[in-house]
Tab-separated table of all heavy atoms in Angstrom:
chain	number	residue	atom	x	y	z
A	1	VAL	N	148.210	86.967	82.453
A	1	VAL	CA	147.932	87.870	83.566
A	1	VAL	C	146.971	88.970	83.118
A	1	VAL	O	147.235	89.662	82.124
A	1	VAL	CB	149.226	88.511	84.110
A	1	VAL	CG1	148.909	89.502	85.225
A	1	VAL	CG2	150.187	87.443	84.611
A	2	VAL	N	145.872	89.107	83.819
A	2	VAL	CA	144.965	90.240	83.626
A	2	VAL	C	145.340	91.297	84.659
A	2	VAL	O	145.452	91.006	85.859
A	2	VAL	CB	143.490	89.817	83.805
A	2	VAL	CG1	142.578	91.039	83.797
A	2	VAL	CG2	143.092	88.844	82.692
A	3	ILE	N	145.566	92.521	84.202
A	3	ILE	CA	145.948	93.618	85.091
A	3	ILE	C	144.768	94.560	85.240
A	3	ILE	O	144.243	95.079	84.248
A	3	ILE	CB	147.169	94.375	84.542
A	3	ILE	CG1	148.378	93.426	84.469
A	3	ILE	CG2	147.495	95.587	85.408
A	3	ILE	CD1	149.582	94.031	83.798
A	4	ARG	N	144.356	94.754	86.485
A	4	ARG	CA	143.222	95.644	86.755
A	4	ARG	C	143.672	96.743	87.711
A	4	ARG	O	144.062	96.481	88.848
A	4	ARG	CB	142.055	94.861	87.348
A	4	ARG	CG	140.743	95.641	87.371
A	4	ARG	CD	139.584	94.712	87.720
A	4	ARG	NE	138.299	95.312	87.431
A	4	ARG	CZ	137.493	95.822	88.363
A	4	ARG	NH1	137.851	95.822	89.636
A	4	ARG	NH2	136.318	96.335	88.022
A	5	LEU	N	143.624	97.975	87.228
A	5	LEU	CA	144.040	99.124	88.035
A	5	LEU	C	142.919	99.524	88.981
A	5	LEU	O	141.745	99.476	88.618
A	5	LEU	CB	144.419	100.297	87.132
A	5	LEU	CG	145.475	100.006	86.056
A	5	LEU	CD1	145.821	101.287	85.307
A	5	LEU	CD2	146.727	99.387	86.651
A	6	GLY	N	143.302	99.935	90.165
A	6	GLY	CA	142.304	100.308	91.173
A	6	GLY	C	142.615	101.626	91.837
A	6	GLY	O	142.973	102.604	91.176
A	7	ARG	N	142.556	101.637	93.172
A	7	ARG	CA	142.590	102.880	93.936
A	7	ARG	C	143.855	103.707	93.710
A	7	ARG	O	143.814	104.922	93.756
A	7	ARG	CB	142.442	102.538	95.427
A	7	ARG	CG	142.084	103.704	96.297
A	7	ARG	CD	141.600	103.233	97.641
A	7	ARG	NE	140.349	102.508	97.537
A	7	ARG	CZ	139.824	101.791	98.515
A	7	ARG	NH1	140.468	101.675	99.664
A	7	ARG	NH2	138.677	101.174	98.355
A	8	GLY	N	144.976	103.060	93.456
A	8	GLY	CA	146.207	103.817	93.245
A	8	GLY	C	146.275	104.521	91.901
A	8	GLY	O	147.248	105.235	91.628
A	9	PHE	N	145.236	104.366	91.087
A	9	PHE	CA	145.262	104.902	89.717
A	9	PHE	C	143.996	105.689	89.380
A	9	PHE	O	143.640	105.799	88.210
A	9	PHE	CB	145.421	103.755	88.712
A	9	PHE	CG	146.685	102.973	88.883
A	9	PHE	CD1	146.738	101.905	89.771
A	9	PHE	CD2	147.823	103.301	88.161
A	9	PHE	CE1	147.906	101.166	89.932
A	9	PHE	CE2	148.995	102.565	88.313
A	9	PHE	CZ	149.042	101.505	89.211
A	10	ASN	N	143.296	106.221	90.385
A	10	ASN	CA	142.028	106.907	90.082
A	10	ASN	C	142.021	108.361	90.508
A	10	ASN	O	140.960	108.975	90.637
A	10	ASN	CB	140.848	106.160	90.715
A	10	ASN	CG	140.897	106.141	92.227
A	10	ASN	OD1	141.856	106.643	92.829
A	10	ASN	ND2	139.883	105.568	92.867
A	11	GLY	N	143.196	108.951	90.693
A	11	GLY	CA	143.262	110.358	91.096
A	11	GLY	C	142.840	111.302	89.975
A	11	GLY	O	142.946	110.973	88.791
A	12	ILE	N	142.350	112.478	90.355
A	12	ILE	CA	141.971	113.532	89.403
A	12	ILE	C	142.556	114.843	89.916
A	12	ILE	O	142.341	115.205	91.075
A	12	ILE	CB	140.441	113.661	89.274
A	12	ILE	CG1	139.808	112.328	88.868
A	12	ILE	CG2	140.070	114.747	88.250
A	12	ILE	CD1	138.286	112.314	88.976
A	13	ALA	N	143.322	115.542	89.068
A	13	ALA	CA	143.955	116.797	89.478
A	13	ALA	C	143.778	117.846	88.387
A	13	ALA	O	143.609	117.513	87.204
A	13	ALA	CB	145.438	116.564	89.759
A	14	PHE	N	143.814	119.117	88.804
A	14	PHE	CA	143.572	120.224	87.875
A	14	PHE	C	144.737	121.214	87.920
A	14	PHE	O	145.313	121.472	88.972
A	14	PHE	CB	142.270	120.945	88.239
A	14	PHE	CG	141.067	120.045	88.186
A	14	PHE	CD1	140.616	119.409	89.335
A	14	PHE	CD2	140.410	119.800	86.994
A	14	PHE	CE1	139.526	118.567	89.302
A	14	PHE	CE2	139.321	118.945	86.942
A	14	PHE	CZ	138.873	118.325	88.107
A	15	ASP	N	145.067	121.750	86.742
A	15	ASP	CA	146.096	122.780	86.620
A	15	ASP	C	145.660	123.726	85.510
A	15	ASP	O	145.881	123.440	84.326
A	15	ASP	CB	147.444	122.133	86.312
A	15	ASP	CG	148.561	123.161	86.177
A	15	ASP	OD1	148.324	124.350	86.496
A	15	ASP	OD2	149.665	122.784	85.741
A	16	GLY	N	144.967	124.798	85.888
A	16	GLY	CA	144.381	125.677	84.879
A	16	GLY	C	143.312	124.924	84.112
A	16	GLY	O	142.379	124.380	84.708
A	17	ASP	N	143.462	124.854	82.781
A	17	ASP	CA	142.474	124.125	81.986
A	17	ASP	C	142.907	122.684	81.702
A	17	ASP	O	142.286	121.991	80.900
A	17	ASP	CB	142.166	124.859	80.682
A	17	ASP	CG	143.383	125.007	79.776
A	17	ASP	OD1	144.500	124.634	80.207
A	17	ASP	OD2	143.222	125.491	78.637
A	18	LEU	N	143.965	122.233	82.374
A	18	LEU	CA	144.413	120.853	82.207
A	18	LEU	C	143.795	119.962	83.280
A	18	LEU	O	143.723	120.335	84.454
A	18	LEU	CB	145.940	120.764	82.304
A	18	LEU	CG	146.737	121.379	81.148
A	18	LEU	CD1	148.231	121.248	81.430
A	18	LEU	CD2	146.389	120.732	79.814
A	19	VAL	N	143.358	118.785	82.860
A	19	VAL	CA	142.797	117.796	83.773
A	19	VAL	C	143.652	116.538	83.665
A	19	VAL	O	143.794	115.970	82.585
A	19	VAL	CB	141.338	117.444	83.409
A	19	VAL	CG1	140.765	116.449	84.412
A	19	VAL	CG2	140.480	118.699	83.329
A	20	ARG	N	144.232	116.115	84.796
A	20	ARG	CA	145.004	114.868	84.832
A	20	ARG	C	144.183	113.829	85.570
A	20	ARG	O	143.795	114.034	86.707
A	20	ARG	CB	146.348	115.071	85.533
A	20	ARG	CG	147.354	115.807	84.699
A	20	ARG	CD	148.744	115.813	85.310
A	20	ARG	NE	149.669	116.526	84.453
A	20	ARG	CZ	149.808	117.857	84.432
A	20	ARG	NH1	149.075	118.595	85.245
A	20	ARG	NH2	150.651	118.434	83.607
A	21	ALA	N	143.923	112.733	84.909
A	21	ALA	CA	143.079	111.694	85.505
A	21	ALA	C	143.767	110.342	85.393
A	21	ALA	O	144.297	109.984	84.338
A	21	ALA	CB	141.722	111.645	84.801
A	22	GLY	N	143.748	109.596	86.499
A	22	GLY	CA	144.266	108.240	86.479
A	22	GLY	C	143.403	107.366	85.590
A	22	GLY	O	142.200	107.608	85.411
A	23	ALA	N	144.006	106.307	85.038
A	23	ALA	CA	143.297	105.453	84.095
A	23	ALA	C	142.092	104.772	84.714
A	23	ALA	O	141.139	104.426	84.016
A	23	ALA	CB	144.243	104.402	83.529
A	24	ALA	N	142.102	104.571	86.046
A	24	ALA	CA	140.979	103.901	86.708
A	24	ALA	C	139.879	104.862	87.130
A	24	ALA	O	138.832	104.421	87.622
A	24	ALA	CB	141.475	103.129	87.930
A	25	ALA	N	140.083	106.165	86.956
A	25	ALA	CA	139.034	107.133	87.290
A	25	ALA	C	137.843	106.943	86.353
A	25	ALA	O	138.013	106.773	85.145
A	25	ALA	CB	139.563	108.559	87.175
A	26	LEU	N	136.649	106.932	86.910
A	26	LEU	CA	135.457	106.737	86.093
A	26	LEU	C	135.192	107.967	85.233
A	26	LEU	O	135.329	109.109	85.689
A	26	LEU	CB	134.248	106.449	86.981
A	26	LEU	CG	134.301	105.158	87.792
A	26	LEU	CD1	133.066	105.035	88.678
A	26	LEU	CD2	134.428	103.937	86.879
A	27	ASP	N	134.785	107.731	83.976
A	27	ASP	CA	134.499	108.831	83.056
A	27	ASP	C	133.514	109.824	83.670
A	27	ASP	O	133.716	111.040	83.620
A	27	ASP	CB	133.918	108.288	81.744
A	27	ASP	CG	134.859	107.351	81.023
A	27	ASP	OD1	136.087	107.466	81.210
A	27	ASP	OD2	134.370	106.489	80.267
A	28	ALA	N	132.435	109.296	84.242
A	28	ALA	CA	131.389	110.157	84.802
A	28	ALA	C	131.926	111.000	85.943
A	28	ALA	O	131.558	112.182	86.095
A	28	ALA	CB	130.214	109.311	85.284
A	29	HIS	N	132.798	110.429	86.760
A	29	HIS	CA	133.360	111.143	87.907
A	29	HIS	C	134.275	112.267	87.431
A	29	HIS	O	134.266	113.381	87.979
A	29	HIS	CB	134.122	110.163	88.797
A	29	HIS	CG	134.504	110.700	90.133
A	29	HIS	ND1	133.639	111.439	90.915
A	29	HIS	CD2	135.658	110.625	90.842
A	29	HIS	CE1	134.251	111.785	92.037
A	29	HIS	NE2	135.480	111.311	92.017
A	30	VAL	N	135.065	111.997	86.392
A	30	VAL	CA	135.941	113.017	85.817
A	30	VAL	C	135.105	114.170	85.262
A	30	VAL	O	135.421	115.345	85.477
A	30	VAL	CB	136.843	112.418	84.723
A	30	VAL	CG1	137.628	113.503	84.002
A	30	VAL	CG2	137.789	111.386	85.334
A	31	ALA	N	134.028	113.845	84.562
A	31	ALA	CA	133.154	114.882	83.995
A	31	ALA	C	132.566	115.762	85.090
A	31	ALA	O	132.534	116.993	84.961
A	31	ALA	CB	132.035	114.230	83.180
A	32	ARG	N	132.104	115.146	86.177
A	32	ARG	CA	131.487	115.909	87.272
A	32	ARG	C	132.505	116.798	87.976
A	32	ARG	O	132.232	117.965	88.260
A	32	ARG	CB	130.844	114.953	88.284
A	32	ARG	CG	129.581	114.276	87.813
A	32	ARG	CD	128.763	113.715	88.965
A	32	ARG	NE	129.552	112.844	89.829
A	32	ARG	CZ	129.623	111.523	89.714
A	32	ARG	NH1	128.949	110.917	88.748
A	32	ARG	NH2	130.343	110.800	90.544
A	33	LYS	N	133.678	116.243	88.266
A	33	LYS	CA	134.712	117.019	88.966
A	33	LYS	C	135.195	118.173	88.091
A	33	LYS	O	135.437	119.280	88.576
A	33	LYS	CB	135.880	116.104	89.323
A	33	LYS	CG	135.544	115.031	90.332
A	33	LYS	CD	135.842	115.445	91.753
A	33	LYS	CE	137.311	115.358	92.066
A	33	LYS	NZ	137.584	115.496	93.518
A	34	ALA	N	135.333	117.914	86.782
A	34	ALA	CA	135.763	118.970	85.868
A	34	ALA	C	134.717	120.073	85.791
A	34	ALA	O	135.052	121.274	85.813
A	34	ALA	CB	136.032	118.378	84.484
A	35	ALA	N	133.446	119.680	85.715
A	35	ALA	CA	132.365	120.676	85.636
A	35	ALA	C	132.381	121.593	86.855
A	35	ALA	O	132.165	122.811	86.737
A	35	ALA	CB	131.015	119.980	85.513
A	36	ALA	N	132.649	121.036	88.020
A	36	ALA	CA	132.704	121.841	89.246
A	36	ALA	C	133.833	122.867	89.182
A	36	ALA	O	133.779	123.912	89.848
A	36	ALA	CB	132.881	120.935	90.459
A	37	GLU	N	134.862	122.581	88.358
A	37	GLU	CA	135.979	123.516	88.168
A	37	GLU	C	135.740	124.456	86.986
A	37	GLU	O	136.615	125.239	86.630
A	37	GLU	CB	137.265	122.719	87.912
A	37	GLU	CG	137.682	121.804	89.039
A	37	GLU	CD	138.286	122.556	90.211
A	37	GLU	OE1	138.921	123.598	89.984
A	37	GLU	OE2	138.122	122.089	91.361
A	38	GLY	N	134.556	124.336	86.342
A	38	GLY	CA	134.259	125.158	85.178
A	38	GLY	C	134.969	124.684	83.922
A	38	GLY	O	135.302	125.480	83.037
A	39	LEU	N	135.187	123.375	83.832
A	39	LEU	CA	135.868	122.788	82.680
A	39	LEU	C	134.943	121.789	81.997
A	39	LEU	O	134.352	120.927	82.648
A	39	LEU	CB	137.156	122.099	83.128
A	39	LEU	CG	138.214	123.029	83.741
A	39	LEU	CD1	139.374	122.231	84.324
A	39	LEU	CD2	138.727	124.026	82.699
A	40	ASN	N	134.833	121.895	80.672
A	40	ASN	CA	133.839	121.144	79.923
A	40	ASN	C	134.385	119.813	79.402
A	40	ASN	O	135.029	119.740	78.353
A	40	ASN	CB	133.327	121.994	78.753
A	40	ASN	CG	132.259	121.270	77.937
A	40	ASN	OD1	131.795	120.203	78.320
A	40	ASN	ND2	131.887	121.853	76.811
A	41	LEU	N	134.103	118.765	80.169
A	41	LEU	CA	134.306	117.395	79.698
A	41	LEU	C	132.972	116.654	79.781
A	41	LEU	O	132.924	115.458	80.061
A	41	LEU	CB	135.369	116.686	80.545
A	41	LEU	CG	136.803	117.214	80.429
A	41	LEU	CD1	137.721	116.468	81.397
A	41	LEU	CD2	137.327	117.088	79.001
A	42	THR	N	131.888	117.386	79.515
A	42	THR	CA	130.550	116.841	79.744
A	42	THR	C	130.258	115.617	78.878
A	42	THR	O	129.429	114.785	79.253
A	42	THR	CB	129.465	117.907	79.486
A	42	THR	OG1	129.642	118.452	78.159
A	42	THR	CG2	129.560	119.043	80.490
A	43	PHE	N	130.941	115.487	77.730
A	43	PHE	CA	130.653	114.323	76.876
A	43	PHE	C	130.995	113.014	77.584
A	43	PHE	O	130.465	111.956	77.240
A	43	PHE	CB	131.420	114.428	75.545
A	43	PHE	CG	132.899	114.147	75.626
A	43	PHE	CD1	133.397	112.886	75.334
A	43	PHE	CD2	133.793	115.150	75.987
A	43	PHE	CE1	134.756	112.619	75.396
A	43	PHE	CE2	135.149	114.889	76.059
A	43	PHE	CZ	135.627	113.626	75.760
A	44	LEU	N	131.870	113.079	78.592
A	44	LEU	CA	132.238	111.871	79.319
A	44	LEU	C	131.166	111.430	80.317
A	44	LEU	O	131.198	110.301	80.798
A	44	LEU	CB	133.552	112.090	80.093
A	44	LEU	CG	134.836	112.174	79.263
A	44	LEU	CD1	135.996	112.608	80.150
A	44	LEU	CD2	135.142	110.830	78.596
A	45	ARG	N	130.225	112.311	80.634
A	45	ARG	CA	129.293	112.045	81.729
A	45	ARG	C	128.438	110.801	81.493
A	45	ARG	O	128.117	110.057	82.438
A	45	ARG	CB	128.376	113.265	81.959
A	45	ARG	CG	127.364	113.090	83.083
A	45	ARG	CD	128.043	112.943	84.426
A	45	ARG	NE	127.092	112.710	85.508
A	45	ARG	CZ	126.681	111.503	85.900
A	45	ARG	NH1	127.130	110.421	85.267
A	45	ARG	NH2	125.851	111.368	86.897
């Protein structure tokens, strides 16, 4: 069985300087959303 995570696993949430991201969230999307919150995950972009 190959398991592929999709829409139910791509959420991104913020709590202060903590970023919680689902395993299916794209690296680039996490970097962009974090940057908009003033959080540096730019290496993921």
Side-chain angles (χ1 to χ4, degrees):
V1 177
V2 172
I3 298 173
R4 193 169 194 257
L5 306 184
R7 196 165 294 168
F9 299 87
N10 64 357
I12 304 169
F14 300 94
D15 180 9
D17 62 354
L18 290 178
V19 182
R20 285 189 179 82
L26 296 177
D27 299 334
H29 192 44
V30 173
R32 288 198 307 266
K33 294 267 282 191
E37 299 285 328
L39 297 172
N40 181 8
L41 293 176
T42 54
F43 75 96
L44 288 171
R45 180 65 183 90

